[in-house]
Amino acid sequence: MDPYSAEGELINIHNYFHQGQFQEVIDFDVSALSPENALPARVLQLRARIALGQADDALADVQGESEPELLAVGALAEQALGRSSAAVKTIEKLASSAADNTTVQVVGGTVLQAAGKSEEALALLSQHQGSLEAVALIVQIHLQQNRTDLAVKEVAAARRWAQDSLLVNLAESWVGLRLGGEKYQQAFYVFEELAQAPATSSVRSLVSQAVAELHLGRTEEAQSALEQAVAKEPQFAEAIANLLVLGVITGKPADVSSLASVDPNHPFLTDLAEKSELFDKAATKYKAKSVAA
């Protein structure tokens, strides 16, 4: 039986992880799991700790381990700690020795994409054999590459063999936010259902709901969802970044210091700095002309 299927042992911890409920993943009781599922559960718990900013602890946990899955998690922790070169080196070594390992594919793809090595990430992920998590990551990479056409194809192919999977629904919603039109509303339904149900709500689903609300022009509802997210996790960078975007849309002053104090290298700030530099360069080409009185 597939451990991630509706009847499988790992379905709940797996869903917690992809719903962004990382503390629930960490607290999940794994004592009753069968031996073959103990390692996948441990990997999810370690990844959840990294997502919650506990990369040092996760790295210490896997020191001395030899399983490819745990070596890959160690690389993810290294990447989270800013040691990208070491992380990439580990993953590239694993890609040559354990490329058929699903965890190596997914975690390795995550590390490579974060390091700007999209093609290497896709090459590793493309070797998956029916991994929905690999599909979801491939979709995210294609969207970051502005290849919405490829993301659409990836979701459509997965939908044929994974009808009602949480990950397929999420991936389809990410694509919907890029396609626009009626897809905005469809994406909103998925995110809103996750965000507002107590059993599935997380800061990430609340931010996703807010983004869908923004696309639909519902700024008050977006603000409400973002405020709920910040109340749950005041240091969550994506919530803060989207509050800044909301402020720009509604004409409120944007104070980027709140985001810079949490994540100075956030893509929002990097993009803003690049555009400010381009604007300054363009402005130097135009000089005010003095007019004789």
Side-chain angles (χ1 to χ4, degrees), residues 4-292:
Y4 300 112
S5 69
E7 297 80 21
E9 283 189 321
L10 299 180
I11 182 63
N12 289 331
I13 189 173
H14 181 264
N15 282 351
Y16 285 148
F17 184 85
H18 293 293
Q19 288 159 187
Q21 296 173 287
F22 298 126
Q23 192 58 53
E24 283 83 348
V25 175
I26 294 169
D27 295 339
F28 190 86
D29 182 7
V30 298
S31 61
L33 294 179
S34 56
E36 64 268 21
N37 289 328
L39 181 57
R42 183 182 174 190
V43 166
L44 285 172
Q45 290 182 321
L46 287 166
R47 290 171 65 191
R49 288 164 67 182
I50 294 169
L52 290 177
Q54 302 167 20
D56 278 316
D57 293 338
L59 187 59
D61 196 302
V62 299
Q63 287 298 314
E65 301 284 8
S66 59
E67 292 93 337
E69 294 89 345
L70 298 179
L71 292 174
V73 170
L76 182 65
E78 291 266 25
Q79 198 275 332
L81 292 167
R83 301 194 281 268
S84 182
S85 297
V88 168
K89 185 176 180 180
T90 298
I91 293 301
E92 289 178 340
K93 184 177 179 181
L94 288 170
S96 65
S97 62
D100 59 343
N101 184 293
T102 301
T103 299
V104 169
Q105 293 164 1
V106 172
V107 176
T110 302
V111 170
L112 292 170
Q113 176 64 13
K117 296 178 177 289
S118 298
E119 295 309 320
E120 288 186 35
L122 289 171
L124 182 58
L125 288 161
S126 67
Q127 300 180 62
H128 80 88
Q129 297 293 319
S131 167
L132 285 174
E133 192 169 7
V135 169
L137 185 51
I138 290 170
V139 169
Q140 287 190 353
I141 293 172
H142 284 323
L143 290 175
Q144 289 182 37
Q145 293 176 319
N146 289 318
R147 290 302 309 270
T148 307
D149 57 324
L150 296 179
V152 168
K153 289 180 181 179
E154 196 71 34
V155 170
R159 179 63 76 188
R160 286 194 288 270
W161 54 273
Q163 287 290 326
D164 296 318
S165 162
L166 169 64
L167 276 173
V168 175
N169 288 338
L170 287 173
E172 192 169 53
S173 299
W174 302 332
V175 173
L177 291 179
R178 186 65 61 87
L179 293 173
E182 64 182 18
K183 299 294 184 182
Y184 285 150
Q185 189 66 44
Q186 293 172 13
F188 165 75
Y189 287 139
V190 171
F191 294 135
E192 191 263 351
E193 181 178 2
L194 288 173
Q196 298 307 318
T200 58
S201 183
S202 71
V203 292
R204 286 155 183 82
S205 58
L206 283 164
V207 170
S208 297
Q209 177 191 339
V211 171
E213 300 272 24
L214 283 174
H215 280 299
L216 290 165
R218 302 197 290 242
T219 55
E220 291 184 4
E221 291 85 348
Q223 180 159 348
S224 175
L226 289 171
E227 288 175 349
Q228 289 179 60
V230 171
K232 281 177 174 281
E233 192 175 325
Q235 301 287 303
F236 187 50
E238 298 307 321
I240 298 170
N242 279 283
L243 277 171
L244 291 172
V245 172
L246 175 63
V248 172
I249 292 171
T250 56
K252 297 176 182 176
D255 180 8
V256 298
S257 63
S258 57
L259 179 58
S261 65
V262 172
D263 184 359
N265 297 314
H266 191 277
F268 179 91
L269 297 177
T270 303
D271 187 54
L272 180 62
E274 289 174 355
K275 286 181 170 55
S276 296
E277 184 179 355
L278 289 171
F279 179 83
D280 291 341
K281 286 182 179 179
T284 62
K285 298 178 181 179
Y286 300 93
K287 295 181 180 179
K289 296 181 180 179
S290 58
V291 180

